[in-house]
Structure formats: C-alpha cells, structure tokens
C-alpha cells in the first residue's frame, strides 16, 4: 500500500485515465501506467480489451508492454464492450484493463482498470497505481520470467450466454420482436446484434461496423446524435429502437413511434417491474424523482449516492441492491454483474415487453412525468467560492450536500457539482416542464458567475 501522506498527481478521473493519444497518452506514459498496473496488481494474469478507436492499438501495445515487463501475463480478449470484459474478469476472478474513452469524441482514448469481481477499480487502488507511476518503482522481470500474451476469442460468446441466463429467452423468442439497433461504430458492433439474433429478433442494424473515427455519428447516444435511428422508428415497422455509446456500457431506447426515452425513465421501468417490497435500488442524486416515486409505490428502498458509476456499483454491493444506475442510460442489474451493462439493459427491456405483452410506450405510460435539463458551464474560480455564492444567493428551501449542491427550489431542484475530469460545473435541473427546468439551471449559472 502507498504512504497516504505522499500524494501523487491524479491520473484517474471518474472513468479511468482519459486524454489525447500522443499528447497526454504518449507511448512512454502508457508503458509506465502498464508497469505500474503490473506492479500494483501482483498477479499472474490480466485480461485486456479495447473499443474500436483508431488509437487503441498504439495505447494497448504500450500498456501491454509495461505489464509484460513486470512478469504478468496478458490475456487478449480483442475488441469487445467494456461490460463483456468485466464479465470475463468476474467469472475468471482476474484483473482487467480496457482501452476506451467510452462516449468521448474519437480524438480521445483512455485506460480503465477492472477489479477481480468485474467492478471498476476502487479509488484507493488507483491511487496506488498513480504513486508507482510517479515514483517509477516498478517490478522488473528477468528474461526467463517475462509475461506472455495469450488469446481468448470467446469472451463475447461467454458474455452473450451470461445475459441469456438472466432473462427468459423462450418468451423473447416467441415474441419475434422487430428491433432497430445503432451500435455507433463502437465496441458492440458484433455483440448486441448477435444477442438480438439469438433471441429470434428481426434485426436492422445501423453503424454496426467497427469505425474508430465514429464517422456516422457522435458516440454519445443523445437524441441529437440519433436522427437516423429515430427516423427509422417513425416508419412504424419496429417494436424497439436501441443505441449504445462507444464501449456499450450504456443503452438508450426509442419507442415504436420514434420517441426518445430518457435514461431516467428506462431505469424507472426496470425498477418498477424487477423490484418488490424490501428490494434496494441505488442511484445518484442527479437522477429524477421518477425513480423515487416508483420505489415508494413498490415498497423498495432507494439509496442515493454521489454521481459516478463506480460509486453506484460499490454502494449496490454494500447494500446488496438489485437494481441501480444513472440518468444517462447506465443500468446496473445485480443478478448479472455490478457494472453498467448496455446489452443486459436491452435484454431486460425485451424480456419485460415479452412478459407483459405490451409495447414499450404502454409500459412507460403510467410512470410519473418529470422534465429534466442538463448543461454545464466553465468553472473559472475555486469551487468553494462558487459554492458559497450559490448557497448565499439561491434562496433554496433545502440543500442536499451529498455531491456538490442539490438545491430544492419552489418550482423544482437543481444539482450543481464540479466535474471530476474537466474545469466545468455540471448542472442537472428538474421541474414540471423542460422550459422551467432550463430557467432554473440558468438561474443557478447566473448567480454562480463572478
């Protein structure tokens, strides 16, 4: 363990080390990270995977070289979704490294570490890696004990089979759903269409080719980036539209009429139909009140956390929660694994539609309606100064300090929090209408300005 009094430069953000290849993520730096990973994990084998980004091979090679130099073997899983690598780590009880920048533009890439239970690495272990990177005290294997690379080409197949064990495939197969899926040229280009085919769905794919430049659309699955999928769904020929981000740990849906479904509502749908009295649900304070309303109706216990998938996952494990997730389409289903999993979320929704024999729009129709607005603004001052100004001037009826400031105002609430990866303040607002939520967000941004 590192000496806690010796603080190193922070490298890991909310979801791994992110940066621009050959600027931030140079071969030399990535090799040091690889050597630090091998030194800290002190294990026989580490599994590695990557998404489709064009810089992935360079970064992979540098990280792998560093790991091998410490005498640790690497199991090459190839291109696959992050949750597929996490499933492999969980089943085989090995550490993992995934080369991905998730939904970020193609000029970025990243290095994310996975624990032996398939969850994202705890912050304390990331600090150990950061310390070793800075100090340069790496393990060095002699020639006879250098790490070796082996290939395992069946990780995606194992992952698909693991998902099928959680749902009732026979029900989904009988329904013969028509599904349009946009994998965004990312890591799920093979896995999600293959899972749908094995579930006897009639599948039309969009952007289901590996293109690390994300030529067809931005990898963030927001409505403004999903015009082709939404237009296809408006033809009325499909039961469900599905879209992933770059590494497919998230999944968003479009209903049979071409309406985009907010991530809060898809999470609330899973909570409604897959929990019962006494079940525990975990979500960040940024999620809308629809999840709390559904929990109250089901008699489920809602636990709120700071923003961040690793925080939600760890809290789910601690609380033995069944369902968790974020408002961005990141759904975690505890019976499968404690991480965001886009394909698992897709399978759960299809299973639900088959079981209830209803369209997704009908399943969503009786959920409470809240309007959310999300934005961000540049943070040019110390957060503590901005925080004090907001507290003094916002006139909040109540303030939740779980993560940043969640201000309960007369016409809704606003969450303002500093980003963990950029010099910006992120804003989440909820009200009765999108227009009013936007007004609340702009009100907080205005009083936060110097």
């Amino acid at each position: 363990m590192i000496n806690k009094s010796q603080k190193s430069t922070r490298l890991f953000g909310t979801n791994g080390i992110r940066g621009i290849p050959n600027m931030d993520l140079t071969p030399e730096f990535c090799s040091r990270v690889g050597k630090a990973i091998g030194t800290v994990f002190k294990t026989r084998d580490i599994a590695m995977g990557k998404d489709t980004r064009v810089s992935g091979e360079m970064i992979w090679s540098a990280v792998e070289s560093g790991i091998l130099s410490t005498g640790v073997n690497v199991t090459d899983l190839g291109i696959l979704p992050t949750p597929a690598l996490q499933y492999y780590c969980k089943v085989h009880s090995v550490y993992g490294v995934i080369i991905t920048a998730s939904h970020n533009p193609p000029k970025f890439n990243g290095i994310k570490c996975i624990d032996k239970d398939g969850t994202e690495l705890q912050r304390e272990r990331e600090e150990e890696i950061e310390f070793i990177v800075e100090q340069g005290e790496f393990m060095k294997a002699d020639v006879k004990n250098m790490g070796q690379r082996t290939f395992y080409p069946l990780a995606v197949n194992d992952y698909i089979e693991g998902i099928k064990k959680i749902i009732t495939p026979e029900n989904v197969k009988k329904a013969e759903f028509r599904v349009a899926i946009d994998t965004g040229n990312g890591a799920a280009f093979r896995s999600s269409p293959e899972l749908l085919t094995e579930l006897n769905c009639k599948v039309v794919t969009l952007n289901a080719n590996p293109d690390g430049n994300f030529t067809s659309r931005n990898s963030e699955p927001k409505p403004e980036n999903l015009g082709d999928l939404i237009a296809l769904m408006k033809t009325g020929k499909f039961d469900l539209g599905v879209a992933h981000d770059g590494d497919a740990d998230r999944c968003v849906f479009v209903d049979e009429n071409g309406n985009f479904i907010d991530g809060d509502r898809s999470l609330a749908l899973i909570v409604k139909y897959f929990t019962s009295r006494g079940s525990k649900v975990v979500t960040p304070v940024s999620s809308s009140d629809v999840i709390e309303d559904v929990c109250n109706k089901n008699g489920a216990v809602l636990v709120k956390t700071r923003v961040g998938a690793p925080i939600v996952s760890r809290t789910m494990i601690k609380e033995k929660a069944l369902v968790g997730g974020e408002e961005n389409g990141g759904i975690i289903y505890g019976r499968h694994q404690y991480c965001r999993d886009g394909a698992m979320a897709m399978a759960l929704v299809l299973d639900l539609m088959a079981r209830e024999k209803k369209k997704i729009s009908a399943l969503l129709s009786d959920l409470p309606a809240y309007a959310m607005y999300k934005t961000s603004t540049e943070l040019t001052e110390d957060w503590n100064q901005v925080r004090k100004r907001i507290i003094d001037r916002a006139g909040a009826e109540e303030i939740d300090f779980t993560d940043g400031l969640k201000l309960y105002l007369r016409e809704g609430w606003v969450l303002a929090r500093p980003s963990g990866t950029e010099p910006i303040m992120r804003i989440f607002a909820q009200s009765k209408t999108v227009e009013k939520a936007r007004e609340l967000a702009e009100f907080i941004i205005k009083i936060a300005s110097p």
Side-chain angles (χ1 to χ4, degrees):
M1 297 291 287
I2 67 170
N3 183 343
K4 295 296 183 181
S5 65
Q6 294 178 281
K7 292 294 183 182
S8 305
T9 302
R10 179 157 187 168
L11 303 176
F12 289 86
T14 308
N15 280 289
I17 301 172
R18 297 274 175 93
I20 299 175
N22 273 344
M23 290 180 62
D24 309 303
L25 304 180
T26 63
E28 295 79 11
F29 170 76
C30 293
S31 177
R32 287 180 70 87
V33 171
K35 287 189 279 189
I37 289 170
T39 301
V40 168
F41 286 169
K42 295 183 177 67
T43 187
R44 177 174 293 182
D45 297 287
I46 291 175
M48 285 189 68
K50 61 179 180 289
D51 67 16
T52 59
R53 292 165 193 268
V54 292
S55 60
E57 194 64 42
M58 182 273 283
I59 294 172
W60 167 298
S61 297
V63 173
E64 181 190 46
S65 174
I67 292 172
L68 296 177
S69 75
T70 66
V72 176
N73 298 322
V74 168
T75 302
D76 181 349
L77 306 185
I79 295 175
L80 78 174
T82 295
L85 179 133
Q86 291 175 286
Y87 184 76
Y88 180 92
C89 291
K90 174 193 168 187
V91 170
H92 297 275
S93 191
V94 297
Y95 291 108
V97 176
I98 186 86
I99 308 302
T100 180
S102 186
H103 62 278
N104 288 150
K107 71 175 183 178
F108 293 96
N109 213 325
I111 306 166
K112 182 188 289 190
C113 294
I114 306 301
D115 214 330
K116 294 167 74 173
D117 61 358
T119 61
E120 294 175 47
L121 201 65
Q122 295 187 68
R123 178 62 194 145
E124 292 80 5
R125 303 303 304 280
E126 291 177 343
E127 289 176 344
E128 292 182 54
I129 294 170
E130 290 167 348
F131 179 78
I132 298 298
V133 168
E134 192 163 285
Q135 298 299 312
E137 298 173 357
F138 308 115
M139 288 198 310
K140 294 181 181 179
D142 58 34
V143 175
K144 293 181 179 179
N145 294 299
M146 289 289 177
Q148 301 297 311
R149 178 201 291 179
T150 58
F151 295 90
Y152 184 73
L154 300 178
V156 167
N157 305 65
D158 296 343
Y159 170 61
I160 290 171
E161 290 303 312
I163 291 172
K164 286 161 60 179
K165 290 176 183 176
I166 300 298
I167 62 169
T168 313
E170 295 75 20
N171 289 349
V172 181
K173 288 178 181 179
K174 288 177 185 176
E176 297 184 350
F177 289 121
R178 298 161 298 168
V179 180
I181 180 166
D182 182 348
T183 61
N185 303 127
F189 74 95
R190 171 199 159 195
S191 54
S192 284
E194 189 169 310
L195 172 59
L196 290 170
T197 299
E198 292 191 18
L199 292 174
N200 198 35
C201 296
K202 294 175 172 61
V203 187
V204 169
T205 61
L206 289 80
N207 310 315
N209 59 303
D211 178 357
N213 289 311
F214 301 138
T215 306
S216 301
R217 70 161 172 90
N218 186 300
S219 61
E220 176 77 5
K222 295 180 179 180
E224 56 266 33
N225 298 327
L226 301 177
D228 290 342
L229 177 63
I230 290 170
L232 191 59
M233 292 304 297
K234 286 182 177 179
T235 64
K237 297 179 180 179
F238 298 91
D239 299 301
L240 186 67
V242 180
H244 289 304
D245 62 333
D247 70 335
D249 63 349
R250 291 190 284 139
C251 179
V252 298
F253 301 99
V254 180
D255 75 13
E256 73 278 4
N257 301 310
N259 299 307
F260 180 85
I261 300 168
D262 286 331
D264 277 328
R265 293 182 69 77
S266 56
L267 175 56
L269 191 64
I270 300 299
V271 171
K272 177 182 177 180
Y273 285 96
F274 290 91
T275 66
S276 56
R277 181 166 297 280
S279 298
K280 288 190 176 181
V281 176
V282 179
T283 195
V285 290
S286 56
S287 294
S288 90
D289 292 345
V290 63
I291 298 167
E292 185 168 2
D293 288 355
V294 171
C295 284
N296 289 339
K297 190 172 182 180
N298 279 14
V301 178
L302 180 62
V303 179
K304 293 186 178 181
T305 70
R306 291 185 292 120
V307 174
I311 298 170
V312 174
S313 297
R314 292 289 168 188
T315 305
M316 286 182 69
I317 294 170
K318 179 183 176 182
E319 298 288 342
K320 298 180 181 178
L322 177 63
V323 179
E326 303 172 293
E327 40 68 41
N328 58 9
I331 294 175
I332 305 170
Y333 192 57
R335 287 199 177 106
H336 178 51
Q337 56 180 347
Y338 286 106
C339 65
R340 298 185 301 189
D341 192 329
M344 185 72 253
M346 176 180 72
L348 286 173
V349 168
L350 290 170
D351 194 32
L352 175 57
M353 290 168 62
R355 188 176 75 192
E356 298 296 318
K357 296 181 171 59
K358 290 182 179 179
K359 301 287 189 183
I360 191 168
S361 61
L363 293 170
L364 290 162
S365 62
D366 61 349
L367 289 179
Y370 294 96
M372 294 287 293
Y373 178 75
K374 305 165 199 172
T375 188
S376 62
T377 186
E378 191 176 357
L379 195 58
T380 58
E381 293 179 90
D382 179 73
W383 163 247
N384 289 323
Q385 291 179 275
V386 176
R387 179 179 181 273
K388 184 177 186 307
R389 196 156 54 240
I390 294 173
I391 292 172
D392 292 344
R393 300 180 187 177
E397 298 175 356
E398 181 185 343
I399 302 177
D400 183 338
F401 296 96
T402 301
D403 191 351
L405 298 170
K406 188 172 184 179
L407 306 131
Y408 291 89
L409 307 170
R410 189 168 58 85
E411 295 181 291
W413 58 255
V414 180
L415 173 67
R417 56 181 295 274
S419 168
T421 57
E422 304 172 74
I424 60 175
M425 180 173 69
R426 298 194 187 277
I427 305 287
F428 303 77
Q430 176 190 281
S431 191
K432 292 181 179 179
T433 66
V434 174
E435 292 73 21
K436 179 55 66 175
R438 182 185 292 110
E439 284 181 26
L440 294 177
E442 290 172 351
F443 166 66
I444 295 301
I445 290 172
K446 184 176 180 179
I447 65 174
S449 302

